[in-house]
């Protein structure tokens, strides 16, 4: 923490900014940055939809600022960064945000196709594509075989369950 100068005070999502700052400085080839699921943190929950919108807006804005601030990591060929991070994971974040902008249009288009042709194969094809995309997300990771199987089984359900958050994120992105 001292070597990189600690937290920056200009960030509204200091955790994302600090992680990107550490990755930018040290790289991730010889260092590992990950999610700690055993951390105990206290944060006030949101109780209204308007609070959820404000929270997601702040998170989305903070993530974009942090990614933009450390954009030199994206597509960087320096050996201190893994190919997976520089050419897949970070670019995917920006691509997903672009897709989120057109998500409502895609959803209306899909509903229109299903209604017009009375054919549910479109839904199955979309779930199949999402499933492949979700699998490709964790294939580069060093996961045990059964962890991969479990993630592959849950991946299609995640799309349905998290769609509410996508709606909130879309509203935040538009804002």
């Amino acid at each position: 923490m001292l070597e990189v100068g600690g937290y920056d005070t200009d960030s509204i999502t200091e955790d994302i900014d600090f992680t990107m700052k550490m990755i930018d400085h040290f790289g991730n080839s010889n260092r590992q940055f990950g999610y700690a699921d055993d951390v105990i943190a206290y944060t006030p929950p949101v109780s209204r939809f308007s609070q959820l919108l404000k929270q997601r807006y702040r998170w989305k804005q903070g993530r974009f600022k942090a990614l933009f601030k450390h954009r030199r990591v994206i597509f960087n060929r320096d050996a201190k960064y893994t190919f997976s991070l520089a050419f897949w994971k970070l670019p995917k974040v920006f691509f997903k945000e672009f897709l989120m902008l057109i998500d409502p249009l895609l959803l209306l288009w899909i509903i229109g196709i299903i209604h017009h042709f009375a054919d549910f194969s479109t839904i199955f094809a979309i779930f199949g594509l999402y499933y492949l995309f979700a699998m490709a997300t964790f294939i580069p990771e060093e996961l045990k075989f059964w962890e991969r199987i479990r993630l592959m089984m849950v991946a299609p359900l995640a799309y349905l369950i998290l769609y509410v958050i996508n709606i909130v994120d879309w509203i935040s992105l538009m804002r």
Side-chain angles (χ1 to χ4, degrees):
M1 287 182 76
L2 294 174
E3 189 172 332
V4 297
Y7 286 102
D8 291 339
T9 58
D10 64 344
S11 175
I12 58 174
T13 51
E14 65 284 338
D15 54 342
I16 297 170
D17 185 56
F18 186 67
T19 301
M20 286 301 299
K21 186 177 183 179
M22 297 279 284
I23 290 171
D24 193 357
H25 181 78
F26 294 110
N28 71 323
S29 290
N30 297 321
R31 310 252 177 168
Q32 187 173 5
F33 298 88
Y35 172 74
D37 61 359
D38 59 346
V39 173
I40 298 172
Y42 296 97
T43 186
V46 294
S47 58
R48 291 191 311 264
F49 188 74
S50 62
Q51 291 174 327
L52 179 64
L53 273 175
K54 287 178 186 175
Q55 178 191 61
R56 298 300 297 190
Y57 176 69
R58 184 176 57 81
W59 289 353
K60 188 164 284 295
Q61 181 185 22
R63 179 174 63 186
F64 275 125
K65 283 184 177 181
L67 288 169
F68 186 76
K69 185 177 176 181
H70 303 284
R71 66 189 174 275
R72 66 184 205 88
V73 177
I74 299 171
F75 299 123
N76 194 319
R77 294 180 184 258
D78 191 324
K80 72 180 185 178
Y81 307 115
T82 62
F83 182 83
S84 173
L85 176 76
F87 287 87
W88 174 251
K89 292 179 182 177
L90 291 178
K92 185 180 67 160
V93 171
F94 285 101
F95 181 69
K96 283 171 55 175
E97 298 305 327
F98 170 72
L99 285 180
M100 186 173 291
L101 278 174
I102 62 172
D103 188 62
L105 297 174
L106 290 174
L107 188 60
L108 290 172
W109 179 65
I110 291 165
I111 291 169
I113 288 174
I114 292 168
H115 181 265
H116 180 74
F117 294 106
D119 182 9
F120 289 94
S121 63
T122 304
I123 291 176
F124 295 124
I126 289 167
F127 282 134
L129 287 173
Y130 179 77
Y131 184 71
L132 290 174
F133 184 76
M135 285 190 335
T137 299
F138 57 81
I139 284 174
E141 299 295 329
E142 293 83 24
L143 297 173
K144 295 176 184 167
F145 176 76
W146 289 111
E147 289 173 332
R148 287 177 193 255
I149 297 297
R150 193 168 51 229
L151 285 172
M152 287 173 21
M153 300 305 288
V154 174
L157 297 174
Y159 183 77
L160 296 173
I161 294 168
L162 296 175
Y163 204 78
V164 170
I165 295 298
N166 280 355
I167 292 168
V168 172
D169 279 350
W170 184 83
I171 293 169
S172 299
L173 194 59
M174 299 292 14
R175 202 171 149 202

